[in-house]
Amino acid sequence: MIAVVMCGGRGTRMASFREKSLLKLGYKTLIEHVLDALIEYGCFENIIAVSSPNTPATTKFLYSHKYCTSGKMNILEGNG
């Protein structure tokens, strides 16, 4: 199976200046919680994270994340 994670939200309804995926919950960002859960589940051949022009910081974060650099996750930049 392939997991697709939509992470192109700005988080404007959350009244934050940070992109939604990069908001912290405890000691990790929201996107890290999602990615870690998918990896721990163990049944996905690949994870595709879909970002958008609305989330440049999230896109940059994803490209530098250990799951991307290790080949467990691919990034697709959508149109928003």
Side-chain angles (χ1 to χ4, degrees), residues 20-58:
K20 186 176 5 182
S21 295
L22 298 179
L23 292 173
K24 292 267 185 163
L25 179 61
Y27 61 94
K28 295 193 289 190
T29 62
L30 293 177
I31 191 65
E32 286 176 297
H33 282 285
V34 172
L35 294 173
D36 288 347
L38 292 171
I39 292 293
E40 287 175 25
Y41 190 57
C43 73
F44 296 103
E45 300 166 20
N46 193 10
I47 298 170
I48 300 172
V50 183
S51 65
S52 79
N54 296 324
T55 57
T58 299

Side-chain angles (χ1 to χ4, degrees), residues 2-22:
I2 297 172
V4 177
V5 180
M6 304 302 288
C7 45
R10 288 181 287 177
T12 54
R13 289 177 287 175
M14 301 179 102
S16 174
F17 293 105
R18 277 195 158 143
E19 296 168 11
K20 186 176 5 182
S21 295
L22 298 179

Side-chain angles (χ1 to χ4, degrees), residues 61-76:
F61 175 83
L62 290 169
Y63 276 113
S64 66
H65 195 275
K66 64 184 176 186
Y67 295 146
C68 182
T69 58
S70 69
K72 294 179 183 178
M73 173 180 67
N74 294 313
I75 299 155
L76 176 64

